[in-house]
């Protein structure tokens, strides 16, 4: 997860491979609420784990549901349609999750009306700007007491009731359909709570927007035992005697809106091989799966089946389209990004609902696509996008994401600009907002996207032993969202493997073979060698000593060369060692040579060893350190020395954060965005 101020994405050229999508947000939060209202336990498979579902889960806990799970499977024990929290006033914080705010407002309003209680529903500032008035009006028709705690028509809301109150379901409930389909969904999910002797009727005034989301609601209600009768999208009837019945086990399909970014990526950059998308397929119940038709109209070549889709480039450049996007407002945003690669002007209409989403998406999309060099016209409920007028008009833009996951994911597609003649990286501000629906979006994208090696930025940190290179490199890598190469670990692993295989320290050829056949795997902070966790073992002094010896052997250095190069993957690499800037990555964008006094380094090494439970003394360490420096500096191959273009950093009196700040400042001076 990229919890960093900005993410720089280098110019990308290709996608290939397989992505597995996280569960659908719309399905996840509907299933959670239905399970929470039902009697008994529902076992939910492949639930989306994201900000919005966390918000819903927490709300369910607060109203008395039991929630347990291990990631793959979540068990929800529902409240059986009864609220037992009347004694206290509950305050539910729902972030910016519309899929939690609207249906919870409806369900809880009905529950407190009947069972009594007081519940406050709040969200982040943006949530308090997202309309809810039409839903509140409908709830008031039912006899619910709903008050606005801020501005009329918007959250926060206060729901109140006395035990034994009545929900008036006799007359049809009238609801406007043209602001958000979530209002209708909210009522449909909630009204079975009031189920009694009579059927309950909802009548929709005006044309309903985002109809496919209502189809999802109806399909899921059916799984929970409620068969809604309907007359088109105008009149819905919940039959008399309806009661939620937990289906015991339910599977959440992958998110079709999330699929749209990868369908687009395949259409743009699936040049040599298709991109395979798993978790959602042509059998999906989600309306956004229709995005495939739009992508095909723009040129994508798509095949698929149940649970899978494969996409590759067809027409190139893509073809501009004019499309009514009422049926897939979320995925339609992706078309606006694809329009960057289309010949001509793409016009997307009937997208007024974009204005009341996580941000005003029409204004946001127009502003950011213009920054990239596109020509954009935006109106009350449409947007028109034309690519940059000529390939050299692509601009190095720092793009805002507006705390809107879809903005971030759409804009990441602009990084494929080399395929349209551009050649610029893209800076995405506040990339963490993808956590709303797709916490691993960027890891997933970078897992399948690639580019020409020289375009992948590298920062090298070289320096003597215990100068703090590793810590500095990992701090900088974390703050940039890049990969890290601890090259010393490769020499240490070679030494450890040699010790374990009883290879003599003077058998250069055999040591070279050990280096060439290392079965090494780096996983977060853990290093695996031959399937065993060797993170600690690598730090032992004897291992370091032998590493210093083997690292002087040309056969070993050569054997490890290609392995080190393979760490250079999008979006970028921070590599630390002795010869990163001089030999392995001579074209690195920024080279740092880190130093610290021998006394300081000996102290740091002592602390490091003690913290790992390894004993040592200061004088011994300092002597060993100086001997190792001398060996590293004087050896014939790749001696330790600053690259001519390296920037020197003496960190003797700097904290890690201060050193990292300095490096990042250097980086920002080199990698400039408009
Ligand atoms: O940085 P370190 O202490 O983990 O490195 C272990 C040994 O590997 C060290 O003695 C020097 C050697 N090394 C090297 O020669 N070249 C590198 N790029 C990294 C480490």
């Amino acid at each position: 997860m990229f919890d960093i101020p900005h993410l720089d994405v280098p110019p990308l050229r290709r996608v290939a491979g397989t992505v597995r999508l996280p569960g659908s947000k719309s399905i996840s939060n509907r299933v959670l609420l239905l399970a929470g209202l039902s009697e008994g336990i529902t076992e939910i498979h492949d639930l989306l784990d994201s900000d919005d579902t966390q918000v819903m889960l927490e709300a369910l806990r607060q109203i008395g549901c039991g929630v347990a799970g291990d990631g793959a499977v979540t068990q929800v024990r529902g409240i059986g349609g009864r609220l037992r929290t009347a004694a206290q006033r509950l305050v539910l914080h729902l972030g910016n999750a519309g899929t939690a705010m609207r249906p919870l407002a409806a369900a809880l309003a009905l529950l407190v009306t009947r069972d009594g209680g007081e519940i406050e529903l709040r969200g982040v500032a943006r949530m308090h700007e997202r309309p809810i008035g039409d839903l509140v009006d409908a709830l008031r028709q039912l006899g619910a007491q709903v008050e606005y705690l801020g501005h009329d028509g918007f959250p926060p809301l206060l729901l109140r009731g006395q035990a034994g109150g009545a929900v008036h379901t006799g007359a049809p409930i009238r609801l406007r359909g043209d602001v958000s389909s979530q209002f209708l969904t909210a009522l449909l999910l909630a009204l079975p709570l009031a189920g009694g002797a009579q059927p309950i009727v909802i009548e929709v005034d005006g044309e309903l927007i985002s109809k496919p989301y209502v189809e999802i609601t109806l399909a899921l209600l059916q799984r929970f035992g409620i068969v809604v009768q309907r007359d088109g999208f105008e009149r819905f009837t919940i039959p008399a005697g309806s009661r939620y019945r937990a289906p015991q086990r339910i599977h959440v399909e992958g998110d079709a809106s999330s699929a749209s970014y990868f369908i687009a990526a395949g259409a743009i950059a699936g040049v040599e091989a298709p991109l395979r998308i798993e978790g959602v397929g042509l059998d999906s119940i989600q309306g956004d799966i229709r995005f495939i038709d739009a992508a095909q109209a723009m040129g994508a070549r798509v095949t698929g089946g149940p649970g899978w889709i494969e996409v590759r480039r067809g027409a190139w450049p893509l073809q501009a389209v004019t499309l009514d996007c009422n049926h897939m407002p979320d995925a339609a945003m992706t078309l606006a990004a694809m329009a960057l690669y289309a010949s001509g002007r793409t016009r997307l209409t009937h997208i007024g609902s974009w204005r009341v989403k996580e941000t005003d998406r029409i204004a946001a999309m127009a502003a950011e696509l213009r920054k990239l060099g596109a020509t954009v016209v935006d109106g009350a409920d449409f947007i028109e996008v034309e690519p940059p007028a000529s390939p050299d008009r692509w601009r190095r833009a720092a793009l805002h994401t507006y705390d809107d996951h879809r903005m971030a994911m759409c804009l990441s597609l602009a990084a494929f600009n080399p395929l349209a003649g551009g050649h610029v990286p893209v800076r995405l501000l506040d990339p963490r907002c993808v956590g709303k629906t797709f916490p691993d979006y960027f890891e997933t994208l970078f897992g399948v996207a690639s580019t020409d090696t020289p375009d992948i930025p590298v920062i090298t940190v070289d320096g003597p032993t215990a100068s703090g290179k590793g810590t500095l490199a990992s701090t900088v890598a974390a703050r940039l969202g890049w990969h890290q190469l601890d090259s010393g670990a490769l020499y240490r692993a070679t030494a450890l493997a040699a010790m374990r295989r009883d290879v003599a320290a003077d058998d250069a050829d055999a040591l070279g073979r050990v280096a060439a056949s290392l079965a090494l795997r780096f996983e977060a902070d853990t290093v695996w060698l031959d399937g065993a966790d060797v993170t600690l073992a690598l730090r032992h002094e004897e291992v370091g000593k032998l590493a210093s010896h083997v690292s002087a052997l040309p056969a070993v250095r050569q054997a490890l060369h290609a392995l080190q190069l393979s760490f250079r993957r999008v979006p970028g690499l921070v590599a630390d060692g002795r010869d990163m800037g001089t030999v392995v990555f001579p074209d690195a964008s920024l080279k740092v040579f880190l130093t610290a006094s021998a006394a300081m380094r000996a102290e740091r090494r002592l602390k490091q060893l003690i913290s790992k439970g390894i004993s040592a003394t200061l004088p011994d360490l300092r002597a060993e350190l100086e001997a190792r420096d001398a060996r590293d500096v004087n050896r014939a191959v790749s001696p330790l020395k600053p690259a001519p273009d390296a920037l020197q950093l003496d960190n003797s009196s700097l904290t890690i954060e201060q050193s990292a700040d300095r490096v990042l400042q250097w980086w920002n001076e080199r990698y400039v965005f408009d």
Side-chain angles (χ1 to χ4, degrees):
M1 154 93 75
F2 288 91
D3 193 2
I4 52 180
H6 56 75
L7 173 66
D8 295 341
V9 187
L12 302 174
R13 291 173 181 276
R14 289 172 291 278
V15 288
T18 301
V19 296
R20 210 176 157 81
L21 295 175
S24 150
K25 175 183 71 161
S26 305
I27 296 179
S28 292
N29 266 356
R30 284 168 173 78
V31 166
L32 280 176
L33 182 68
L34 287 167
L37 297 175
S38 300
E39 177 117 44
I41 294 179
T42 306
E43 192 182 282
I44 308 170
H45 289 252
D46 295 332
L47 184 75
L48 171 65
D49 179 9
S50 76
D51 296 349
D52 279 13
T53 51
Q54 287 303 329
V55 154
M56 180 63 102
L57 281 164
E58 185 50 35
L60 293 183
R61 282 191 195 99
Q62 281 183 270
I63 65 166
C65 299
V67 177
D70 62 0
V73 183
T74 306
Q75 285 110 9
V76 175
R77 183 174 34 73
I79 57 171
R82 288 271 150 206
L83 197 59
R84 292 182 189 84
T85 50
Q88 75 262 63
R89 174 167 176 156
L90 289 180
V91 181
L92 308 191
H93 291 276
L94 304 177
N96 198 4
T99 54
M101 176 62 82
R102 278 75 180 257
L104 278 169
L108 296 177
L110 298 189
L111 285 173
V112 296
T113 300
R114 212 191 46 204
D115 299 338
E118 282 190 16
I119 303 182
E120 241 179 84
L121 300 180
R122 312 191 143 269
V124 296
R126 173 65 187 165
M127 179 55 95
H128 296 171
E129 297 169 1
R130 297 176 67 182
I132 198 163
D134 293 305
L135 177 60
V136 169
D137 290 348
L139 294 171
R140 286 176 173 167
Q141 292 171 50
L142 286 156
Q145 272 185 58
V146 185
E147 289 166 36
Y148 296 113
L149 296 175
H151 297 288
D152 274 8
F154 300 89
L157 302 178
L158 175 63
L159 318 173
R160 259 188 231 272
Q162 305 291 328
V167 178
H168 309 306
T169 53
I173 302 145
R174 303 199 68 84
L175 180 74
R176 266 177 65 189
D178 57 353
V179 176
S180 170
S181 67
Q182 283 183 7
F183 299 157
L184 176 58
T185 280
L187 284 178
L188 287 168
L189 292 174
L191 279 170
L193 288 169
Q198 309 157 347
I200 308 172
V201 177
I202 308 172
E203 288 176 356
V204 178
D205 288 336
E207 199 201 338
L208 181 70
I209 61 167
S210 315
K211 297 185 178 92
Y213 287 106
V214 174
E215 300 279 11
I216 296 179
T217 306
L218 297 175
L220 293 175
L221 275 165
Q222 195 156 12
R223 290 296 311 279
F224 282 81
I226 315 282
V227 184
V228 178
Q229 292 155 6
R230 57 193 280 200
D231 184 0
F233 284 95
E234 281 132 45
R235 199 180 147 89
F236 298 84
T237 306
I238 294 162
S242 288
R243 252 187 74 229
Y244 301 114
R245 274 195 301 276
Q248 294 188 343
R249 193 169 186 276
I250 191 160
H251 169 258
V252 176
E253 63 175 64
D255 194 295
S257 317
S258 299
S260 73
Y261 312 108
F262 293 97
I263 294 169
I268 296 163
V271 184
E272 288 153 17
L275 183 62
R276 185 177 168 92
I277 299 161
E278 292 182 351
V280 63
L282 302 182
D283 57 336
S284 173
I285 62 166
Q286 300 167 70
D288 274 1
I289 201 68
R290 299 258 318 269
F291 175 82
I292 289 175
D293 303 337
Q296 280 173 319
M298 292 188 82
R301 265 166 58 198
V302 183
T303 53
W308 67 276
I309 305 165
E310 278 189 11
V311 190
R312 60 193 308 162
R313 187 196 270 185
W316 189 257
L318 299 177
Q319 288 151 7
V321 289
T322 293
L323 202 67
D324 179 330
C325 297
N326 183 29
H327 58 292
M328 48 164 200
D330 283 1
M333 292 174 72
T334 314
L335 298 174
M338 287 174 79
L340 291 169
Y341 303 98
S343 59
R345 175 184 306 184
T346 292
R347 181 177 159 86
L348 308 176
T349 62
H350 222 144
I351 55 168
S353 66
W354 283 20
R355 294 215 182 263
V356 294
K357 293 294 174 87
E358 281 78 343
T359 185
D360 177 342
R361 287 174 165 171
I362 296 183
M365 189 63 84
E368 302 313 303
L369 295 182
R370 281 187 195 118
K371 280 189 201 163
L372 287 162
T375 305
V376 184
V377 179
D378 58 316
D381 77 341
F382 74 90
I383 191 166
E384 289 177 1
V385 182
E386 264 182 279
S390 63
D392 57 339
R393 295 284 182 86
W394 282 87
R395 290 206 292 265
R396 291 174 78 100
L399 301 172
H400 283 282
T401 53
Y402 303 81
D403 197 20
D404 183 347
H405 54 136
R406 302 213 179 282
M407 285 299 297
M409 295 188 274
C410 283
L411 293 173
S412 70
L413 295 171
F416 289 103
N417 65 76
L419 299 172
H423 195 81
V424 294
V426 173
R427 171 166 289 182
L428 298 171
L429 304 172
D430 185 23
R432 201 210 78 90
C433 61
V434 300
K436 192 169 203 289
T437 48
F438 201 156
D440 295 334
Y441 173 72
F442 289 107
E443 289 87 341
T444 308
L445 176 66
F446 297 145
V448 291
S450 58
T451 193
D452 296 349
T453 304
D455 278 334
I456 304 173
V458 179
I459 296 177
T460 59
V461 183
D462 286 311
T465 196
S467 57
K469 307 179 297 297
T471 318
L472 175 62
S474 66
T475 307
V476 170
R479 283 172 56 181
L480 288 168
W482 288 6
H483 304 283
Q484 190 200 347
L485 165 60
D486 166 8
S487 61
L490 307 187
Y491 292 96
R492 287 171 180 268
T494 305
L496 182 63
M499 285 158 73
R500 289 187 173 172
R501 293 181 209 169
D502 281 331
V503 174
D506 58 359
D507 188 344
D509 289 347
L511 288 167
R513 285 196 295 277
V514 171
S517 63
L518 283 181
L520 255 191
R521 195 159 53 82
F522 291 81
E523 196 186 270
D525 292 332
T526 310
V527 190
W528 302 86
L529 177 64
D530 295 326
D533 179 352
V534 294
T535 320
L536 255 187
L538 289 183
R539 305 318 307 177
H540 274 277
E541 275 305 280
E542 326 79 270
V543 175
K545 226 185 264 181
L546 184 59
S548 174
H549 170 75
V550 303
S551 67
L553 301 171
V556 170
R557 297 205 81 84
Q558 199 168 342
L560 294 180
H561 193 81
L563 178 58
Q564 295 176 80
L565 294 180
S566 72
F567 280 76
R568 188 172 186 173
R569 294 191 305 268
V570 293
L573 175 68
V574 183
D576 75 89
R578 303 294 189 286
D579 61 344
M580 296 297 98
T582 49
V583 176
V584 183
F585 302 108
D587 65 335
S589 326
L590 172 63
K591 299 177 186 177
V592 177
F593 194 81
L594 195 65
T595 54
S597 65
M600 181 61 83
R601 290 189 283 130
E603 255 173 57
R604 286 182 187 157
R605 175 61 46 96
L606 183 66
K607 270 198 205 132
Q608 192 186 34
L609 291 176
I610 289 173
S611 76
K612 297 199 155 99
I614 301 171
S615 66
T617 69
L618 202 56
D620 286 355
L621 276 178
R622 180 161 173 176
E624 174 55 30
L625 216 101
E626 285 176 334
R628 198 175 301 174
D629 283 353
R631 260 197 313 271
D632 291 346
V633 168
N634 294 319
R635 69 185 175 215
V637 281
S638 301
L640 171 66
K641 62 166 196 264
D645 51 347
L647 299 177
Q648 305 250 359
L649 179 62
D650 183 332
N651 71 0
S652 301
S653 58
L654 297 179
T655 64
I656 291 157
E657 289 306 316
Q658 287 168 331
S659 305
D661 286 345
R662 183 75 55 84
V663 174
L664 289 167
Q665 188 190 336
W666 283 333
W667 171 249
N668 284 327
E669 284 162 12
R670 290 192 179 196
Y671 217 61
V672 176
F673 288 86
D674 299 334

